Amino acid sequence: MHVAKSGLRALGIAESYSGREQSTLAGVVMRKDLRIDGAAFARVTVGGSDATDAVVRIFNRLARRDINLLMISGSVIAWYNIIDSAAVQDATDLPVIVTTYEESGGLAEEIRRHFPDDDARLAAYRRLGDRTPVRLHSGYTLFIRSYGLSIEDAARLCNDFTREGRMPEPVRVARLIARGIVRSSGSAPDDHDR
């Protein structure tokens, strides 16, 4: 992948979680010039273990061959439903950048407290590895994990896709759309509607 390519497309994925049994994921295809040209949705179970499958499902529903990478807002969503980004990379054959926006001491203790007998969830969290801080041209620091792409290239792409603030546009717009769906319907769209 040529990270400098102007026509490069990212699939940004973000959730809207409002404490229900299901959380809504939105995926937005965005070109490097910030033009949106696709969207898809999925549900994940709050406190479940289906987030990785939901991300892959969004990618597959789009049935696009022109997507160059995935940008995911966070690895731990919907009350500790963990996205295995390495598995997403394997399933899509595309690089994955996971973005987070604040420093953190980690979630291992919280996972142990809420899921005391769930060693698999804790192991999945530990496999995520460390985040790398990236200073954006906007002056903000973004924390990223990169799969199938060097940290340097991932940082460059995050900068290229960030107009202002700390959130790259593909995940910012995906988050807005996911929130809009939840607020307007009171829940996520049914699988039949996608």
Side-chain angles (χ1 to χ4, degrees):
M1 178 177 63
H2 300 286
V3 296
K5 182 179 161 187
S6 61
L8 187 137
R9 283 175 173 80
L11 170 57
I13 297 178
E15 77 158 331
S16 181
Y17 166 58
S18 58
R20 298 184 177 95
E21 292 178 9
Q22 303 265 320
S23 183
T24 300
L25 284 183
V28 172
V29 180
M30 183 178 287
R31 292 188 338 199
K32 205 171 183 186
D33 64 5
L34 306 183
R35 173 175 242 137
I36 297 168
D37 67 0
F41 309 94
R43 289 186 192 180
V44 295
T45 307
V46 172
S49 58
D50 57 349
T52 302
D53 291 340
V55 170
V56 173
R57 199 165 54 247
I58 286 174
F59 174 78
N60 289 336
R61 282 184 177 152
L62 287 163
R64 301 274 300 258
R65 299 181 133 211
D66 58 350
I67 296 171
N68 303 100
L69 75 139
L70 280 76
M71 284 187 165
I72 304 172
S73 183
S75 294
V76 182
I77 63 171
W79 203 62
Y80 306 106
N81 197 331
I82 298 168
I83 298 171
D84 181 342
S85 298
V88 171
Q89 181 200 359
D90 288 345
T92 63
D93 202 28
L94 291 174
V96 176
I97 302 169
V98 177
T99 62
T100 56
Y101 314 101
E102 297 175 7
E103 289 191 61
S104 168
L107 298 172
E109 289 304 315
E110 289 297 310
I111 291 170
R112 271 196 213 97
R113 184 165 63 87
H114 293 292
F115 302 91
D117 299 322
D118 195 342
D119 294 336
R121 188 181 309 263
L122 188 57
Y125 173 71
R126 288 190 170 137
R127 279 193 304 274
L128 295 175
D130 294 330
R131 301 175 307 154
T132 301
V134 170
R135 186 79 167 168
L136 298 172
H137 63 81
S138 62
Y140 289 92
T141 299
L142 183 67
F143 299 88
I144 65 172
R145 291 181 176 105
S146 178
Y147 304 83
L149 183 72
S150 72
I151 285 294
E152 294 77 21
D153 284 346
R156 179 176 178 174
L157 286 165
C158 287
N159 260 305
D160 289 348
F161 275 103
T162 302
R163 188 166 190 155
E164 59 186 28
R166 73 180 75 225
M167 194 175 291
E169 288 297 301
V171 292
R172 187 185 74 79
V173 172
R175 178 181 283 179
L176 287 171
I177 291 171
R179 283 182 180 168
I181 288 170
V182 169
R183 286 182 181 150
S184 67
S185 67
S187 66
D190 292 326
D191 281 333
H192 316 327
D193 298 335
R194 289 180 220 139

